C-alpha cells in the first residue's frame, strides 16, 4: 500500500482526535491517547497541529504521532495494524530520516506501545532502550470511593487557581490561566474535566485534568499535581481517587496514567489511590 506522511492542518485536528478516540481499548497496552493531544493543546491549536504527524493510505489514518518536544515522538498505530510489517517499516524509515520532518538528526526517542511491530523495527534498526515509564491502570467497573476533600470542576472563574497549583506542583512558571483556556478550547476537552481539590480552609491544594475517550473506553489522567506548599497530607492520592471518580462519571471503563519510573513518589501516589502497576515500558532511543 502507498503510505503518506503528513502534518494535519488545524481544521483536520478534530478528525485526528476522533480516530485516536476510536483506537482506545482496555485490551491493548497503554498508548497515545486523545488526552495527550489535549494536554499539549495548552500551547494553542497552531502549535498542536504542527506537532502532530499522521501516516495514511487511501484516506485512512494508519498511525498518529505527537512531537512532545523536538526530539521525542509519542505514537501509536491502528489496532488492526499493530503487527503490520509494511507500516512499521515506513514509520521507522520516516522517523530515522531527518529530511522527512519528523525527528532531527542526533539524539532522538520514540515512545510507542509494547507489542507493536514499530517497536520491534526500531530495535532492529539499532534504537536502544531509553527512558523507563511506569503505566498504571484502575478499573472503573466498581464504584469509586469518596474522597475527604472538596472537589470543584474548574471553569473560567477558577482557572487562575488551577494554573497556580500546576505552576507550584511542577515548578513550571509558564503555565498560565491563558494556557488553561487554550487547552479547554481544544477538541479533546469536549470529553475532559479539570478538577481542583480544596482543604478544610478552602485553599486549592491539588489539581488534575482527566480525559475521556468516550463511553466504554479507557480515560487518561494528565496532569496531576499537589501544590508544593501542601505536600505531605495525602492530597495526591485523594485527588487521584477524585479523578478516577470523574472519569467513571464520564463513562470511562478505566483510568490510565503513565509516569517516568524514576518518579517513585508519583508511582506510589497512584498505587495508594488503587491503581495497579503495569509492566514497565522503555522508550526506543537513537544515540549520537
Amino acid at each position: 500500500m502507498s503510505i503518506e506522511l503528513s502534518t494535519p492542518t488545524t481544521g483536520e485536528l478534530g478528525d485526528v482526535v476522533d480516530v485516536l478516540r476510536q483506537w482506545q481499548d482496555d485490551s491493548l497496552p497503554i498508548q497515545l491517547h486523545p488526552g495527550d493531544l489535549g494536554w499539549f493543546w495548552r500551547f494553542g491549536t497552531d502549535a498542536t497541529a504542527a506537532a502532530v504527524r499522521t501516516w495514511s493510505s487511501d484516506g485512512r489514518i494508519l498511525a498518529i504521532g505527537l512531537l512532545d518536544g523536538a526530539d521525542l515522538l509519542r505514537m501509536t498505530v491502528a489496532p488492526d495494524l499493530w503487527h503490520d510489517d509494511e507500516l512499521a517499516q515506513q514509520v521507522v524509515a520516516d522517523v530515522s530520516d531527518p529530511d522527512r520532518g519528523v525527528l532531527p538528526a542526533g539524539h532522538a526517542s520514540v515512545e510507542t506501545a509494547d507489542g507493536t511491530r514499530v517497536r520491534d523495527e526500531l530495535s532492529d534498526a539499532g534504537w536502544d532502550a531509553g527512558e523507563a515509564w511506569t503505566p498504571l491502570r484502575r478499573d472503573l467497573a466498581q464504584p469509586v470511593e469518596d474522597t475527604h476533600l472538596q472537589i470543584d470542576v474548574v471553569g473560567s472563574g477558577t482557572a487562575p487557581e488551577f494554573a497556580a497549583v500546576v505552576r507550584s506542583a511542577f515548578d513550571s512558571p509558564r503555565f498560565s490561566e491563558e494556557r488553561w483556556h487554550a487547552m479547554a478550547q481544544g477538541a479533546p476537552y469536549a470529553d475532559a474535566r479539570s478538577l481542583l481539590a480544596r482543604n478544610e480552609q478552602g485553599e486549592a491544594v491539588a489539581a488534575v485534568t482527566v480525559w475521556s475517550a468516550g463511553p466504554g473506553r479507557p480515560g487518561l489522567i494528565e496532569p496531576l499535581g499537589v501544590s508544593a506548599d501542601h505536600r505531605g497530607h495525602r492530597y495526591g492520592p485523594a485527588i487521584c481517587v477524585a479523578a478516577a471518580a470523574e472519569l467513571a462519571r464520564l463513562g470511562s471503563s478505566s483510568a490510565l496514567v503513565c509516569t517516568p519510573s524514576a518518579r517513585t513518589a508519583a508511582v506510589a501516589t497512584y498505587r495508594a489511590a488503587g491503581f495497579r502497576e503495569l509492566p514497565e515500558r522503555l522508550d526506543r532511543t537513537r544515540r549520537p
Side-chain angles (χ1 to χ4, degrees), residues 43-126:
F43 299 118
T45 304
D46 290 344
T48 303
V52 171
R53 299 292 183 273
T54 61
W55 286 262
S56 304
S57 179
D58 294 329
R60 180 197 175 195
I61 296 176
L62 311 178
I64 299 171
L66 172 68
L67 286 164
D68 196 1
D71 62 354
L72 171 61
L73 181 76
R74 306 188 189 280
M75 70 157 302
T76 191
V77 300
D80 61 311
L81 296 173
W82 272 39
H83 306 297
D84 188 271
D85 288 335
E86 186 177 357
L87 175 60
Q89 290 164 7
Q90 185 63 59
V91 168
V92 172
D94 289 337
V95 302
S96 299
D97 182 356
D99 291 336
R100 297 292 289 154
V102 182
L103 289 167
H107 186 280
S109 296
V110 176
E111 179 196 61
T112 190
D114 291 334
T116 60
R117 188 72 184 105
V118 170
R119 188 174 181 81
D120 296 337
E121 285 285 338
L122 286 166
S123 297
D124 292 346

Side-chain angles (χ1 to χ4, degrees), residues 21-197:
R21 283 192 184 104
Q22 295 166 17
W23 291 355
Q24 305 306 307
D25 191 312
D26 280 310
S27 67
L28 299 174
I30 189 170
Q31 59 177 320
L32 186 71
H33 191 278
D36 293 308
L37 271 65
W39 174 233
F40 194 93
W41 221 293
R42 69 194 186 275
F43 299 118
T45 304
D46 290 344
T48 303
V52 171
R53 299 292 183 273
T54 61
W55 286 262
S56 304
S57 179
D58 294 329
R60 180 197 175 195
I61 296 176
L62 311 178
I64 299 171
L66 172 68
L67 286 164
D68 196 1
D71 62 354
L72 171 61
L73 181 76
R74 306 188 189 280
M75 70 157 302
T76 191
V77 300
D80 61 311
L81 296 173
W82 272 39
H83 306 297
D84 188 271
D85 288 335
E86 186 177 357
L87 175 60
Q89 290 164 7
Q90 185 63 59
V91 168
V92 172
D94 289 337
V95 302
S96 299
D97 182 356
D99 291 336
R100 297 292 289 154
V102 182
L103 289 167
H107 186 280
S109 296
V110 176
E111 179 196 61
T112 190
D114 291 334
T116 60
R117 188 72 184 105
V118 170
R119 188 174 181 81
D120 296 337
E121 285 285 338
L122 286 166
S123 297
D124 292 346
W127 293 61
D128 299 326
E131 184 175 12
W133 294 80
T134 298
L136 299 103
R137 177 181 182 271
R138 175 165 173 162
D139 184 81
L140 298 178
Q142 301 300 318
V144 179
E145 64 273 20
D146 291 333
T147 179
H148 64 281
L149 297 177
Q150 175 187 333
I151 303 295
D152 295 339
V153 176
V154 176
S156 296
T158 48
E161 290 179 283
F162 181 91
V165 172
V166 171
R167 285 195 299 271
S168 176
F170 296 98
D171 192 22
S172 176
R174 293 176 295 177
F175 190 83
S176 62
E177 175 186 355
E178 289 73 25
R179 288 203 169 172
W180 181 86
H181 281 288
M183 178 183 76
Q185 291 167 5
Y189 203 80
D191 297 322
R193 298 287 186 277
S194 293
L195 307 177
L196 268 179

Side-chain angles (χ1 to χ4, degrees), residues 134 136 224 240 257-272:
T134 298
L136 299 103
L224 181 148
C240 193
V257 67
C258 196
T259 189
S261 298
R263 295 180 60 194
T264 55
V267 174
T269 292
Y270 292 116
R271 292 181 63 184

